[in-house]
Amino acid sequence: MHDGTASSYYQSVPDRVPFSHRLNPFRRVNYWRLIPVLKLVHKKRYLTESKHLIAEGRFEAIRSGLAIRYEINDGSATFDVSPDGGSTYLNYLRAHIGSNPDEEIDDLILSITTIEAMILTKKCVVYE
């Protein structure tokens, strides 16, 4: 763990599924099926977030009650989600950024959309 980031390739399975998760309409949808819909609905916001990430190197926000953090360091982009309100972060995606970041906007948009789809379908780990 470095700088509050915990990485894992495996998603832990909760002992008990909270009632709020059972009411989620996206629960039975595969997150990758939601990605094209989200790209159409939130196209402008994703483009703005991608440009901000390229310009500043870091973007933080709250999505559906979960803290997210996107960073670009040394040609590598990381897309992290916090299961505990921002105390620690789990890395869900990593991507290589080429020498011309403007060409990478589409890849960044896809990564941001993927994270949001995972959050909406409750595929991200949440500590309660």
Side-chain angles (χ1 to χ4, degrees):
M1 185 145 108
H2 184 277
D3 294 333
T5 302
S7 295
S8 175
Y9 291 106
Y10 302 101
Q11 178 176 349
S12 64
V13 178
D15 295 333
R16 176 180 67 82
V17 177
F19 185 69
S20 63
H21 287 16
R22 287 181 274 174
L23 292 178
N24 181 10
F26 297 115
R27 191 183 100 201
R28 296 193 187 273
V29 176
N30 291 325
Y31 75 89
W32 50 267
R33 290 187 185 264
L34 194 56
I35 291 171
V37 175
L38 290 175
K39 281 176 81 171
L40 286 174
V41 173
H42 302 293
K43 182 179 181 178
K44 188 174 180 179
R45 179 169 57 90
Y46 293 147
L47 181 61
T48 303
E49 290 175 4
S50 297
K51 287 181 179 180
H52 178 82
L53 181 59
I54 288 173
E56 300 293 325
R58 185 179 183 120
F59 178 80
E60 292 184 28
I62 302 291
R63 295 285 180 258
S64 299
L66 292 178
I68 57 167
R69 177 179 69 190
Y70 308 142
E71 289 183 309
I72 296 177
N73 288 321
D74 299 328
S76 177
T78 58
F79 301 87
D80 309 324
V81 177
S82 176
D84 54 9
S87 296
T88 60
Y89 284 84
L90 297 173
N91 180 255
Y92 277 88
L93 286 175
R94 289 186 185 174
H96 175 72
I97 299 296
S99 59
N100 187 356
D102 292 334
E103 295 176 358
E104 303 294 329
I105 291 242
D106 289 336
D107 290 337
L108 290 174
I109 289 173
L110 177 61
S111 297
I112 291 169
T113 308
T114 301
I115 291 295
E116 192 161 315
M118 291 175 80
I119 290 170
L120 287 173
T121 57
K122 307 293 185 194
K123 298 299 179 199
C124 295
V125 175
V126 177
Y127 302 140
E128 294 195 35

